[in-house]
């Protein structure tokens, strides 16, 4: 019985030896969550026949340690069959602190393709500090 308890203790100790208190590597794609995404085509001022893509979304930093800025996102545009028909890149210069969220309002990105029915936003990269 004492021998099996000793081996169990060693097993638990060995499993915990991989846990370090060191800071983890920054990984913006993993740490930054995009949600509350809204997209709509809107008329441009002075050109009511021309529509542009307008976006609103929230970036939540799930990291406990890393803040991010210069966040490059990609807007992907899809047709009714969910085939990607266009994309655009945008850089959010606002800093996002650990365990916080920021809302990005009224980003306008290029003319709307008439076949566009939906849009997504994904993080491509960011600077951590």
């Amino acid at each position: 019985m004492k021998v099996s308890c000793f081996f169990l203790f060693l097993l638990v100790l060995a499993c915990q030896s991989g846990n370090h208190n060191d800071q983890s590597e920054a990984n913006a794609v993993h740490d930054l969550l995009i949600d509350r995404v809204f997209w709509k085509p809107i008329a441009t001022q002075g050109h009511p026949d021309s529509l542009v893509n307008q976006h609103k979304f929230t970036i939540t930093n799930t990291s406990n340690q890393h803040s991010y800025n210069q966040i490059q996102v990609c807007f992907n545009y899809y047709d009714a069959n969910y085939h990607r028909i266009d994309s655009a890149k945008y850089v959010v210069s606002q800093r996002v602190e650990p365990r916080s969220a920021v809302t990005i309002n009224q980003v306008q990105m290029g003319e709307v393709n008439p076949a566009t029915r939906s849009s997504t936003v994904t993080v491509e990269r960011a600077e951590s500090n």
Side-chain angles (χ1 to χ4, degrees):
M1 178 69 175
K2 288 183 181 181
V3 173
S4 61
C5 288
F6 178 72
F7 284 119
L8 182 60
F9 175 74
L10 286 178
L11 180 64
V12 169
L13 191 61
C15 289
Q16 292 182 349
S17 68
N19 295 339
H20 300 287
N21 290 333
D22 300 333
Q23 290 188 349
S24 64
E25 296 267 337
N27 183 341
V29 173
H30 177 266
D31 292 343
L32 299 176
L33 171 70
I34 303 285
D35 63 350
R36 296 177 226 143
V37 176
F38 298 96
W39 163 82
K40 68 178 178 179
I42 63 164
T44 59
Q45 288 182 328
H47 299 88
D49 296 338
S50 178
L51 298 176
V52 295
N53 295 296
Q54 181 165 293
H55 300 273
K56 178 180 177 180
F57 56 96
T58 299
I59 302 174
T60 301
N61 184 353
T62 64
S63 172
N64 290 320
Q65 302 163 327
H66 305 287
S67 59
Y68 294 96
N69 64 355
Q70 298 302 311
I71 303 163
Q72 181 175 311
V73 297
C74 183
F75 300 110
N76 289 300
Y77 304 99
Y78 300 90
D79 65 12
N81 294 317
Y82 208 67
H83 295 115
R84 190 174 77 151
I85 55 175
D86 202 1
S87 66
K89 296 185 188 308
Y90 177 76
V91 175
V92 175
S93 58
Q94 192 170 349
R95 182 181 173 103
V96 185
E97 298 294 335
R99 308 302 294 171
S100 67
V102 296
T103 299
I104 310 302
N105 287 306
Q106 298 183 6
V107 174
Q108 294 181 359
M109 296 298 297
E111 290 187 26
V112 175
N113 180 322
T116 303
R117 296 294 174 262
S118 63
S119 175
T120 61
V121 185
T122 57
V123 172
E124 291 195 328
R125 65 175 171 261
E127 295 176 4
S128 77
N129 25 6

